[in-house]
Structures are given as structure tokens and as C-alpha cells.
Amino acid sequence: MANTQQMANAIRALAMDAVQQANSGHPGAPMGMADMAVGLWARHLKHNPANPQWFDRDRFVLSNGHASMLIYALLHLTGYDLPMQELQNFRQMGSRTAGHPEVGHTPGVETTTGPLGQGITNAVGMALAEKLLAAEFNREGHTVVDHHTYAFLGDGCLMEGISQEAISLAGAWKLNKLVALYDDNGISIDGSVQPWFIDNTALRFVASGWNVIGPIDGHDADKVAAAIAEAHKQTERPSLVICKTHIGKGSPNRANTAKAHGEPLGADEIALSRESLGWSHAPFVIPDEVYADWNARATGHAAEQAWNDRFAAYQAAYPELAAEFTRRMNGDLPAHFAQTAVDTVVGAHTKAETVASRKASQLALEAFTAALPELLGGSADLTGSNLTNTKSTPNLRFDLQGNVVKNENGVGGRHINYGVREFGMAAIMNGVALHGGFIPYGGTFLTFSDYSRNAIRMAALMKQRVIHVFTHDSIGLGEDGPTHQSVEHAAALRIIPGLDVWRPADTAETAVAWSVALSNREQPTALLLSRQNLPYLSKRDLGDISRGAYVLSEPKDVGLKKKAQAVIIATGSEVQLALAAQKQLAEKKIAVRVVSMPSTTSFDREDVKYKKSVLPAGLPRIAVEMGVTDFWWKYGCAAVVGIDRYGESAPAGVLFKHFGFTAENVAATVRAVLAGKK
């Protein structure tokens, strides 16, 4: 029989040694959660170290990501491609053992964690994806989607407000295959949490529709394993297992103190801890018998092979479903997607409708959601404003038994009512994308992107295809006033590395933005959309829109047979102002090129030749956007028509005149630049 105490002590020793060698890190939490890890990883977790991406594996999320040495030790011990040298290089340049776990960087890591609360929220997204895929693809006698999502979390995760958003939705969605294990050690960076964290955690989860088990002794692996087995009996509720633990377990002088949290124990204390634990082995040395107890390669191979056999039978019985499932889990778009995208863009161009770009987004979504069953939409209680729902995406609902409600055609809903939970929505979408099988999108007002921002950043860091629909993108929303009028948000989103940001000016640009977003396998997208109607802008061709910026109008298009003297760059609703100003200037024989730049981020990735063809050297540039001006100086602008203050509560038309967003002011700004007065 396996020596569970030695298995746990191996984790403790590796955590102590790696943090000490790096002179940086968090040894206390891995030491405290080691027995919990034995109870889960050695007794229940379905995974195959030889194939970390196996479709039907259980998902494990270390929400308290500062305890990264826990998962690195587990991955190494169970047989993943994470050799001891990587643990010895913990937190060093180029190692696969970063300070906090990073998906795509370390085999076996399912999500990047560190910002507390987001890991458990990602886990909710993963569990939701599993449940929806099971409802869609499983057939009687053929269960091909059947796995659990597990999360370890600590006090910090529960103190972050996003955790309540996540647990509330998990309860509402009856995610019975979600099991969270709470490392209840009562210590955070500032010390004992009692003066600032007095929540009755058990009742909080019960109130949110969870099954709560414990408190149990988190240092008894058998009890942890038994609690997980009990959680597996749930058919309608997610489960929380409360594990009472001691941070820094095994350290005579640091256990149960904040000192164990975020600094090396020190050579002397490590020696005492080894003695206390009965672990006599040298640093980074694991006995063969402990490796043997932990090794999961044989059981993992057997579990995957059993699933392969089930899938082969499924494939024989339902070949089209099997092919669709494989495509979806691989993240491939349907073969017809390219034609669908072309048809959608050309259709928008042909109809030339005058609608708000939020409505243009919905028009594009009608086509894309019909063609892509993997599109999973939603809104943070603003569906009627964000227009994220379509004919193909009825609301997602669950019955009293926790089953997905399906229509007469056996199809479940694909539009999620997230409630007023912008941050939770964004992090859940990350979890859905990480799980695979869906492309999530969700809507709210642009000004509330601040609530979502860290999850948006995490999507970019993790290179996940997540699409944010941000409507009401400027002072153009009118009477709701400065609390809702975005001024700095477009610029703030554009500076997030790896986030593609689009602010389209009409229906064709919006359709292109959606097609590019859906094609971006390794990049999240933010779509910034207007509340007010926008006219369709006449175009010579549609080919360059996807490059982020293109020449929309030349002087000859307004009757001037001369070269441009200046370039007006505009985005979104302000492109129409640029065109109107161009006409006014033409009447005074001033020749201007108008460039629509729906995506600065896409344009910035273009080659120098294309950039120069759109923004020629030597021509003064004037940018027009209803946002802060600082962003635009990077393009060498001579002037910017923008807004560097908060808005006012008034009708949109009044605000445009008040803040100078008129064709007359744009034209006057161009004349001033050409006269050398700007």
C-alpha cells in the first residue's frame, strides 16, 4: 500500500527546497495542502501525464496560484514532462516553473492563476463547458463527455469579490461536477485573518446552492478522499469541501504563521522541518518508492484508453457527431466559415444599413451563431442593450434536476444571463475557452470594462479566444451621463498586450471585426460599439478592413483632382465626421485623405510598407475620436480632436456640439494644422 504520509511529505520537501533555492516563493500553502493533494490526485483525479490534453481528463485548478510548488511537485511526481531540473530552476528565467502557474507554459497546468478568485471562477467556466458539451454530445449508451472540475482555493480567493459572483452562478447552474476544496488555514499575508475575515463560509456556499462537506481534517488524506467521493454523489449541486489545515505543516517554528506564507523558511528551519517530518533525504531527492506511489502513467494510460474505446464506439454509431465534437475540441472553425464570413461582410455592404454598431454586431451574430454552434453568448444583465442574443441562441436554462433545458428539436440554450457580474462573466468566459468546445462572448457597457479588466488581461496573457462585446462606447450614449460615458476605456484596452480592439464605423466594419475575432485562435478581442445609429460609409472595396486601417476616401472622391494635403484618422462613430469635414474642406480646395482605423491593434501589426501606404510620410495627421487624446500621439499626429475630461448628462447631439465633435470643428482643426497654428 502507498505510504500517503511520505507522498505528502515529498510535496512539502520539494516546496521547501525549491523556494529556498530560488530565495523566492510561497512554501506554506503547498506544505499545508499536501495531504489534500494526496486525497485528490492519488485517489480520484482522472488524468494522463503522457497526454496532458486528453479530451475527457478531469480539470484541476490551483486557484491560490501562489502555492505553485504544489502543482509543480504533483506534475513532476505523477509523471508529467517536468523533470527535477525544472523544479530546481523554480522562478528562474526560462524555466517551466514560473512563480505562478501558466497555462501553455507547463504541461498539466489548465489555467494561469495568481490573481486570487479568478481560478475558482475559471473552474466554474470549465464545469459549465463540460455540462453543456455532455448535454449536446452524449447519447444513450455513449457517454463521451464525463469529467469533473476540481479547484483548490484559499482565504484570499474567498475574500475577493469575484468569488461570490462565481459561486452564485455555479449554484444557479447546478454544476454538480464541480468540486472545490477550501484550504482553511486562517492565515494570510498580514497574519491571522480573524480581524478581517469573519464570513461563515459554509453558510455562504449553502446560501448559493452548494453542497458543503466538512470541516474535515485536511491533513488526513483518507478523509479528503472520502469527502470527494461524497461530493461525487451530487446530481444537482456543486460541492465545497472545507479542509482545516496548518499553513507550513511540518515547520516547527513557521507553521500557523504568516512567516510561512511568502518567504523561504531558511536553511536552519528546513533542517528542523525535515526532522519533524521524518524526511531524511537530501534536497530535491525523492526515494524510488515514493515515485512509485505517485506515478500515474499506467492508470492514466488505462483511463484514456478506456475513453478511446468508448469514443470509437460512439464514432461508429454517430460519425457526424464524433467529427463535430473533435472539431470543436480542437478549436477549428467549420470548413464553411471563410465563406460565411465573406457572405456576411458582403451582405452588410450590399444592404448599407444605417444602424448603431451594437445592432450591426447583432446582425453579424445572426449569421455567425447560425453557422457556428460553438458560439456561446451572454450579457451581464444588459441583453437588450448589448444585443448579444440571436435567433440561434435562446437563453440557457436548467431544470430543477440540473439538466439543460432543450427545445422541441433537442437543442439547449446558448445565451447566458450572467446577471450584474461583469468580472465574473469575463473570468468564466476564460474558463469556458480554456476547457474547449466553445467560443465564448459576453456583453456589457464599455465603461464597465473596468470591472472586467483583470480577467481581460488574463485572457490576453493566456492567449484565449474570448470576445468581449462592449456597447455604449462614448459620450454618444447621452443622458446617462459621465458615470456611463466612456472616455479613457478605448485607450486603456488598446494598451493590453495581446488584446485585439475594434471600434467599427458601420455594418461592414463590424462584420469584419467579428470575422477576425472568431479567426483569432490565440487572441481575445474587444468590440467597442455605439448606442447611436451610424450611417453606412461608401467603400471602393472591403479587402483592407481586416488590416485595421484603410483609406476610406481620397480627395478625388469629393471632386478634388489634387494630392492630399493632410490625413484625417478616425474610428467608429467619428468616421462620419471625418468624411463630412473632408467635404467642407474640399469646398475650400483643401485636399484631405480620410482613413478609417477600426482596429489600431491590428494596424500596428501590419508591415511598414502597408502602414506608409495608409499614412504617408510628410502628410500631417489629425485624429478624431471621442476619447482621451494621449493615445493618438503615437501615430505622429499634429492634432487630435478628442476629449480629456468626463462627459455630461445631456442628449447626444447636444454633447457632440458642446465637446466639439462636429464636422466644422474637425475641418477647422485641419485648417489650423495646415496654417501652422497647431
Side-chain angles (χ1 to χ4, degrees):
M1 293 181 63
N3 186 329
T4 57
Q5 194 60 57
Q6 287 295 83
M7 292 171 73
N9 286 342
I11 295 173
R12 294 185 174 102
L14 289 172
M16 291 189 296
D17 294 340
V19 171
Q20 185 66 26
Q21 181 146 308
N23 196 29
S24 173
H26 302 75
M31 295 172 72
M33 292 190 291
D35 303 292
M36 294 165 56
V38 174
L40 173 60
W41 279 66
R43 305 288 181 82
H44 290 288
L45 194 71
K46 182 176 66 173
H47 65 120
N48 184 4
N51 184 9
Q53 298 305 310
W54 163 39
F55 289 155
D56 203 42
R57 69 193 182 277
D58 290 338
R59 270 59 169 182
F60 173 74
V61 174
L62 184 66
S63 189
N64 40 354
H66 57 272
S68 57
M69 269 309 303
L70 177 79
I71 193 169
Y72 297 149
L74 286 165
L75 294 171
H76 170 76
L77 292 167
T78 55
Y80 285 78
D81 183 19
L82 195 69
M84 185 64 81
Q85 183 181 0
E86 295 291 346
L87 276 63
Q88 292 170 323
N89 289 332
F90 179 53
R91 290 188 164 222
Q92 304 309 298
M93 178 68 75
S95 77
R96 285 189 283 170
T97 49
H100 292 80
E102 296 181 26
V103 67
H105 186 68
T106 309
V109 170
E110 300 283 1
T111 180
T112 301
T113 53
L116 295 176
Q118 287 195 59
I120 180 60
T121 312
N122 294 163
V124 170
M126 293 175 186
L128 175 65
E130 190 274 344
K131 185 164 192 168
L132 297 183
L133 287 170
E136 183 177 355
F137 286 100
N138 288 347
R139 294 294 183 269
E140 186 175 353
H142 297 276
T143 302
V144 293
V145 182
D146 184 18
H147 54 267
H148 286 82
T149 302
Y150 299 99
F152 279 11
L153 70 158
D155 292 312
C157 293
L158 294 177
M159 283 187 262
E160 288 286 0
I162 188 175
S163 67
Q164 184 58 40
E165 298 181 29
I167 68 171
S168 179
L169 284 169
W173 295 337
K174 303 180 184 297
L175 301 180
N176 60 295
K177 288 188 176 178
L178 173 63
V179 181
L181 288 88
Y182 169 32
D183 176 33
D184 185 9
N185 61 45
I187 298 293
S188 67
I189 293 175
D190 283 351
S192 172
V193 301
Q194 288 181 346
W196 56 82
F197 185 53
I198 62 169
D199 300 24
N200 187 321
T201 297
L203 290 184
R204 174 183 166 191
F205 275 75
V206 168
S208 299
W210 286 57
N211 168 52
V212 176
I213 300 171
I216 64 170
D217 181 358
H219 297 302
D220 188 326
D222 292 335
K223 289 183 178 178
V224 173
I228 295 170
E230 184 68 24
H232 287 175
K233 297 177 183 178
Q234 285 295 313
T235 59
E236 300 173 14
R237 292 182 293 174
S239 292
L240 176 74
V241 180
I242 301 176
C243 301
K244 298 295 290 187
T245 63
H246 301 283
I247 191 170
K249 170 73 172 177
S251 172
N253 300 302
R254 294 289 185 88
N256 302 315
T257 72
K259 276 283 189 180
H261 175 84
E263 62 184 67
L265 297 182
D268 292 342
E269 185 65 16
I270 288 176
L272 292 173
S273 300
R274 274 182 151 77
E275 182 179 350
S276 171
L277 294 168
W279 186 266
S280 59
H281 313 289
F284 299 106
V285 172
I286 304 295
D288 290 342
E289 60 269 23
V290 175
Y291 272 126
D293 287 342
W294 268 117
N295 194 319
R297 280 181 167 262
T299 55
H301 174 78
E304 182 176 357
Q305 187 57 52
W307 181 83
N308 287 339
D309 293 341
R310 292 199 306 275
F311 192 76
Y314 177 75
Q315 198 167 29
Y318 302 99
E320 292 183 1
L321 275 177
E324 177 70 359
F325 177 79
T326 301
R327 176 190 72 78
R328 295 260 297 267
M329 291 304 294
N330 284 336
D332 298 328
L333 293 174
H336 58 71
F337 172 76
Q339 189 60 53
T340 299
V342 169
D343 293 345
T344 304
V345 175
V346 171
H349 177 66
T350 302
K351 292 179 181 179
E353 294 174 279
T354 294
V355 294
S357 55
R358 62 172 174 160
K359 181 62 178 179
S361 170
Q362 188 179 44
L363 294 173
L365 272 174
E366 287 288 356
F368 289 127
T369 54
L372 277 66
E374 60 263 47
L375 271 175
L376 182 65
S379 171
D381 203 47
L382 290 168
T383 301
S385 294
N386 301 148
L387 304 183
T388 46
N389 57 331
T390 69
K391 295 175 183 177
S392 301
T393 58
N395 288 330
L396 176 64
R397 295 290 183 265
F398 301 92
D399 64 22
L400 293 178
Q401 288 72 45
N403 302 308
V404 175
V405 175
K406 298 182 179 181
N407 62 19
E408 61 277 6
N409 298 317
V411 177
R414 280 198 285 147
H415 188 271
I416 301 171
N417 301 105
Y418 284 99
V420 188
R421 300 182 180 95
E422 297 87 358
F423 193 6
M425 175 179 70
I428 285 171
M429 289 197 295
N430 289 349
V432 168
L434 286 159
H435 180 279
F438 294 101
I439 301 174
Y441 67 92
T444 186
F445 290 167
L446 178 56
T447 189
F448 301 140
S449 64
D450 284 337
Y451 284 139
S452 311
R453 185 176 180 84
N454 201 262
I456 297 169
R457 179 181 186 270
M458 294 302 293
L461 179 62
M462 295 188 289
K463 300 181 180 179
Q464 294 302 303
R465 180 163 44 185
V466 175
I467 302 170
H468 293 271
V469 179
F470 293 126
T471 68
H472 296 58
D473 69 345
S474 71
I475 61 171
L477 66 87
E479 291 87 344
D480 273 345
T483 59
H484 285 53
Q485 293 166 1
S486 296
V487 175
E488 75 277 26
H489 299 83
L493 289 171
R494 287 168 180 152
I495 63 174
I496 296 177
L499 176 68
D500 217 19
V501 181
W502 286 78
R503 188 168 183 253
D506 61 14
T507 53
E509 287 190 4
T510 306
V512 169
W514 265 108
S515 66
V516 172
L518 292 167
S519 300
N520 282 343
R521 291 181 64 111
E522 296 185 347
Q523 190 170 37
T525 301
L527 305 177
L528 282 48
L529 308 169
S530 73
R531 176 183 184 271
Q532 71 274 25
N533 286 343
L534 307 179
Y536 189 78
L537 309 175
S538 178
K539 300 172 183 64
R540 286 186 295 275
D541 64 69
L542 305 169
D544 287 336
I545 298 175
S546 63
R547 306 181 80 166
Y550 63 102
V551 178
L552 179 64
S553 181
E554 293 280 32
K556 65 181 180 180
D557 296 321
V558 288
L560 280 184
K561 296 181 179 179
K562 57 190 296 189
K563 292 183 178 181
Q565 298 163 262
V567 178
I568 303 177
I569 309 168
T571 78
S573 54
E574 290 75 80
V575 178
Q576 61 182 307
L577 296 181
L579 291 172
Q582 181 196 37
K583 290 181 180 180
Q584 290 185 14
L585 291 165
E587 293 171 359
K588 298 182 180 297
K589 307 304 179 184
I590 299 174
V592 170
R593 167 185 283 190
V594 174
V595 168
S596 178
M597 191 178 286
S599 177
T600 63
T601 51
S602 295
F603 181 66
D604 288 349
R605 293 194 298 271
E606 287 293 328
D607 57 51
V608 173
K609 181 179 179 181
Y610 182 73
K611 290 178 181 177
K612 287 184 176 179
S613 73
V614 175
L615 302 176
L619 287 184
R621 303 164 186 174
I622 298 89
V624 185
E625 184 174 64
M626 283 191 276
V628 292
T629 60
D630 276 357
F631 173 83
W632 288 99
W633 304 117
K634 65 181 278 189
Y635 294 107
C637 293
V640 181
V641 178
I643 176 171
D644 287 316
R645 51 153 292 188
Y646 296 112
E648 298 283 351
S649 178
V654 174
L655 293 172
F656 296 154
K657 291 180 181 179
H658 178 76
F659 288 110
F661 291 102
T662 63
E664 291 75 17
N665 186 46
V666 174
T669 302
V670 173
R671 291 196 302 271
V673 166
L674 293 175
K677 297 179 180 179
K678 281 281 186 180

